[in-house]
Amino acid sequence: MPAGSDTDVPALSVSPGPAGGLARLGGWCARHPVLIMAAWVLALTAALAGRHVVAPAFSDQVSLSGTQSSAGADLLAAHSGTAGGSSGHVVFHSDSGAVTSDPSVSSSLSGLAHLPHVTSVSAPVVSDDGHTAYTTVRFDVKAKALGHDYTRRLDRATQPARDSRLEVAYGGDLDQVTRQPADDRASELVGIAAALLVLLLAFGSVLAALLPLVSALIAVGTGLGLVGMVAGTVSFATSAPTLATMIGLGVGIDYGLFLTTRFRQDLIDGHDPASAATRTTASSGRAVLVAGVTVIVAMLGLYACGLSFIGKLGFAASLAVAITATAAVTLVPAALSLTGRRIDRLALRRPIAESSGDRDGWHRYAARIARRPWRYLAAGTAALALLSVPALSMRLGHVDASADPTGTTSRTAYDLIAEATGPGFGPGANSPLTVVIDLGTHRSGTSDLATTLQRALRTTPDVAQVTTPTSTPDGRLLTTTVTPAHGPQDESTTALVNTLVDDTLPGALHGTTAHGYVTGTTAAQVDFRDTVRQRLPVIIATVLAAAFLLLMTVFRSLLIPLKAVLLNLATTAASYGVLTAVFQWGWGSGLLGLHEPVPIESYVPMMMFAIVFGLSMDYEIFLLSRIADIWHTSADNTRSVGTGLAATGRVISSAALIMTAVFLSFTSSTTVVVKMLALGLAVSVILDATLVRLVLVPSSMFLLGRANWWLPDRLDRRLPHLHA
């Protein structure tokens, strides 16, 4: 088969300096394969050992400085000796008989009071039927700081109640202690198995299929070790390792697939294995590096939101992508050179070409689009628009313990409190709000102000109960607890927090120098949601600008990057729509193990946008670089698009199928946020590889014709020269 045939993986050619550097790197790795592979095994071992030594701690604690809930929490910490930490519920339940009549409850309460960091244990709140009771345990530190081992202390303290056959469960902030990090090893194994199956179908050879997979696993393992080591000094979220695994595994296998495809083609063209590995690194390796940098830039762009919690998630994923891209241009060439022509020895079928010429199916498909581009463009756009409709009603929020798996202690505690009747029970008891009044100079008439405040709070819609306002020991603050009528993730609870902050408290404190705040876990989650929603446009603008500049520089065009940006926005909107329909509307959510609709976790759309944009730009670069190659030699728009589709269709489809399989495997995670990200990313990849790459890109390029490649001369002279 002649060189440059349609099985070539599209490559992004850069100026001679970087190209020469990659060629030399690939050649050196190809000549010293054993040394390179040993170095990577050593790196993997060192990274995993380092993670074990560092013993990383992951935390979902979010800093919201500047918000009203944070201000209220700071006031409590400064003026109350017991309010600066956190609190949790310990629930006792009996199917028959009054719980509090059992002496084991008193023994358990005494045991809880003597635990480290416990500042107080409240008298039990008892349900009307007496079968359920719970106590509020307050700590002098944040619950997450107690560590997962603290669960054993809780169990020992409450053992008397268990010995009396009472059911004991922990809720509130204690779910941060009792909830172990999700074990997604089963999801990873499913994803790996699915990826291997796709690779076998794509290559038809066992060795060719295993090589990208094994190299990706080594890279991801090294990346996870590095993430764990960094977590010793940088506090990552608990979902960071799963996110890093999901992204790293997907892109790692894809990069290995692109390189292995090009290597096999070079062997077919008559090059020896070492030379083929060198050529592969010098050509496809450049595309892999540009693709990896694109993903990293998009992920690091999350820092633009100003929330370190989200920025660090992007940082963790970026570390994994950086390691997999490095492995792609070092480990993969070494393994390819060592494997050599044996790569097809364990073949399940004969290798087949991507295209059989200008009259193959891909070219015929492109010709059909060229004859009716408006029809295909309209159909593809309508499909994306239809999928995007549910996104118009997307509701951001926080997924509470009611969505936890049945049988977990956090879910049991939530249900026992929500289902019991009586003062202090009901769904809203799981989302108490602490109202803090900074009296300022208003020290006289405090009792009258407390009465006015309590009356205003009780008459606010969706308030189930209000405790009597009390003063802090120094007399500077008034505090009271408001119990909403509904649970933490209910939309009415979010509305209640906003009503209290915007209307109730200002009205009750009108004419005084006092200031009111609503704080606590639920209020902080509402503030977090509002902050994310306000800053999402900043993330979108940052990522769009970076992508536009990159594509404009690479392809020397204004319309190509504009089209890419618009299509990626459409893909993201459609993915948001599917996410809303499944999780918020409940369409098919039972298949994901959810028993009720839930809001979209606040930061998921922001994370999805950065990841989806980075991954979709990979495929955009691979496809358009091939189209640009043909255009610059033939100036035939129809042939350029047809050949570009033929050259990239199979490898991009295989890569997308692998990525989709990896992402979908993580929908079996017990963490709802991971399910959301996994489904959203899988849908995005599917849409990007089908509607966008196969319908909207070619139809729009046919319609634009020569205008695709227009760039003002003045701008052309100012841009650095990278050649597609």
Side-chain angles (χ1 to χ4, degrees):
M1 188 174 292
S5 67
D6 292 331
T7 49
D8 287 354
V9 177
L12 191 68
S13 60
V14 191
S15 55
L22 275 177
R24 288 192 295 272
L25 175 64
W28 196 90
C29 294
R31 292 191 301 273
H32 305 86
V34 176
L35 178 62
I36 294 298
M37 295 175 72
W40 271 101
V41 172
L42 180 62
L44 172 64
T45 304
L48 295 179
R51 176 189 173 96
H52 179 73
V53 171
V54 169
F58 298 93
S59 173
D60 290 328
Q61 189 67 38
V62 180
S63 175
L64 292 173
S65 58
T67 62
Q68 65 88 31
S69 63
S70 177
D74 291 342
L75 284 171
L76 284 175
H79 299 286
S80 175
T82 61
S86 58
S87 63
H89 295 150
V90 178
V91 187
F92 304 92
H93 177 74
S94 173
D95 291 332
S96 60
V99 173
T100 52
S101 65
D102 194 315
S104 66
V105 173
S106 297
S107 299
S108 296
L109 295 179
S110 177
L112 290 170
H114 287 87
L115 289 179
H117 300 292
V118 171
T119 59
S120 66
V121 177
S122 70
V125 180
V126 186
S127 62
D128 288 342
D129 60 9
H131 292 173
T132 304
Y134 71 88
T135 181
T136 300
V137 182
R138 297 191 179 278
F139 303 91
D140 58 8
V141 296
K142 297 297 182 184
K144 195 65 181 181
L146 297 173
H148 296 300
D149 290 341
Y150 201 83
T151 304
R152 288 198 291 268
R153 296 178 181 268
L154 293 170
D155 288 342
R156 285 196 296 269
T158 57
Q159 191 60 46
R162 289 189 174 85
D163 291 341
S164 292
R165 300 184 181 280
L166 296 181
E167 185 175 11
V168 181
Y170 312 120
D173 290 346
L174 282 177
D175 66 354
Q176 299 179 41
V177 176
T178 60
R179 182 180 294 150
Q180 295 290 333
D183 185 356
D184 293 315
R185 284 175 293 184
S187 299
E188 295 167 10
L189 291 175
V190 171
I192 292 170
L196 179 59
L197 178 60
V198 176
L199 287 169
L200 286 172
L201 294 174
F203 286 123
S205 164
V206 175
L207 285 179
L210 285 175
L211 196 149
L213 184 59
V214 173
S215 63
L217 289 174
I218 293 175
V220 169
T222 305
L224 283 178
L226 180 61
V227 168
M229 292 170 65
V230 174
T233 55
V234 176
S235 180
F236 288 128
T238 54
S239 58
T242 300
L243 179 64
T245 301
M246 189 162 54
I247 303 300
L249 193 59
V251 300
I253 296 174
D254 275 8
Y255 295 164
L257 170 66
F258 292 136
L259 291 164
T260 304
T261 302
R262 180 58 183 263
F263 175 78
R264 290 178 72 191
Q265 182 60 47
D266 282 339
L267 290 181
I268 294 172
D269 291 343
H271 297 282
D272 63 87
S275 175
T278 302
R279 290 168 55 86
T280 294
T281 309
S283 55
S284 296
R286 291 195 299 272
V288 164
L289 286 183
V290 172
V293 169
T294 303
V295 177
I296 290 172
V297 169
M299 296 304 301
L300 292 180
L302 289 169
Y303 274 106
C305 73
L307 295 171
S308 61
F309 173 83
I310 294 177
K312 289 174 184 177
L313 279 173
F315 178 42
S318 296
L319 290 175
V321 174
I323 296 296
T324 55
T326 303
V329 296
T330 54
L331 177 59
V332 172
L336 289 172
S337 176
L338 189 63
T339 305
R341 300 188 184 279
R342 295 187 298 274
I343 195 167
D344 287 323
R345 179 165 294 179
L346 299 177
L348 303 179
R349 57 172 172 77
R350 291 182 61 187
I352 59 175
E354 293 280 352
S355 173
S356 57
D358 288 349
R359 295 185 179 277
D360 70 349
W362 285 105
H363 284 87
R364 292 195 299 272
Y365 171 72
R368 282 200 300 273
I369 296 180
R371 286 193 295 270
R372 299 179 179 85
W374 279 113
R375 179 178 298 180
Y376 282 89
L377 181 63
T381 303
L384 288 179
L386 182 62
L387 291 173
S388 303
V389 170
L392 297 174
S393 62
M394 177 186 288
R395 180 172 68 87
L396 301 183
H398 176 69
V399 180
D400 62 31
S402 66
D404 287 351
T406 302
T408 58
T409 186
S410 56
R411 171 68 182 278
T412 300
Y414 183 98
D415 289 344
L416 287 173
I417 293 175
E419 294 169 3
T421 58
F425 287 89
N430 289 296
S431 53
L433 304 172
T434 301
V435 174
V436 180
I437 306 299
D438 182 3
L439 296 174
T441 60
H442 190 87
R443 300 298 181 84
S444 60
T446 301
S447 59
D448 292 338
L449 180 61
T451 301
T452 301
L453 174 66
Q454 187 174 21
R455 184 185 306 115
L457 293 174
R458 282 178 173 171
T459 56
T460 301
D462 291 319
V463 169
Q465 185 179 354
V466 179
T467 62
T468 301
T470 58
S471 298
T472 53
D474 61 4
R476 295 287 301 274
L477 306 178
L478 278 178
T479 64
T480 181
T481 300
V482 175
T483 302
H486 303 282
Q489 70 183 26
D490 195 282
E491 190 172 6
S492 63
T493 301
T494 300
L496 172 61
V497 173
N498 292 327
T499 299
L500 292 176
V501 173
D502 298 334
D503 301 320
T504 303
L505 294 183
L509 304 177
H510 181 70
T512 73
T513 59
H515 296 279
Y517 306 89
V518 181
T519 189
T521 301
T522 302
Q525 289 163 354
V526 173
D527 282 343
F528 179 73
R529 183 209 66 170
D530 293 341
T531 302
V532 168
R533 187 165 56 186
Q534 291 167 4
R535 298 180 183 178
L536 181 58
V538 177
I539 292 294
I540 293 176
T542 301
V543 175
L544 289 183
F548 184 88
L549 290 174
L550 174 65
L551 289 182
M552 182 172 62
T553 302
V554 169
F555 295 107
R556 322 305 293 181
S557 166
L558 283 179
L559 292 183
I560 281 181
L562 179 61
K563 171 181 59 64
V565 163
L566 293 176
L567 290 179
N568 284 326
L569 280 175
T571 302
T572 304
S575 303
Y576 287 172
V578 173
L579 211 62
T580 302
V582 172
F583 288 93
Q584 188 175 313
W585 293 0
W587 291 6
S589 60
L591 299 176
L592 300 178
L594 296 177
H595 65 283
E596 65 178 10
V598 296
I600 305 302
E601 188 69 34
S602 301
Y603 62 89
V604 165
M606 186 178 288
M607 292 295 303
M608 269 187 58
F609 180 80
I611 299 171
V612 168
F613 218 90
L615 296 180
S616 64
M617 295 313 290
D618 287 358
Y619 296 152
E620 186 83 10
I621 290 171
F622 288 132
L623 172 61
L624 291 179
S625 61
R626 184 58 168 167
I627 293 176
D629 284 342
I630 307 303
W631 166 257
H632 291 309
T633 58
S634 68
D636 184 333
N637 199 53
T638 301
R639 183 171 180 270
S640 300
V641 176
T643 303
L645 285 175
T648 63
R650 184 174 180 182
V651 68
I652 287 181
S653 297
S654 298
L657 190 56
I658 290 171
M659 192 93 71
T660 301
V662 170
F663 289 154
L664 284 179
S665 68
F666 281 87
T667 58
S668 62
S669 172
T670 56
T671 305
V672 178
V673 173
V674 173
K675 291 179 185 289
M676 287 184 183
L677 282 171
L679 180 64
L681 295 178
V683 170
S684 299
V685 171
I686 292 172
L687 294 176
D688 193 74
T690 54
L691 279 177
V692 174
R693 301 293 159 238
L694 300 182
V695 179
L696 295 176
V697 168
S699 61
S700 61
M701 293 193 75
F702 283 134
L703 286 169
L704 293 172
R706 289 181 174 272
N708 283 307
W709 314 102
W710 176 74
L711 184 69
D713 291 339
R714 180 178 298 180
L715 183 58
D716 187 32
R717 288 192 297 269
R718 291 179 178 272
L719 293 175
H721 280 269
L722 302 175
H723 303 286

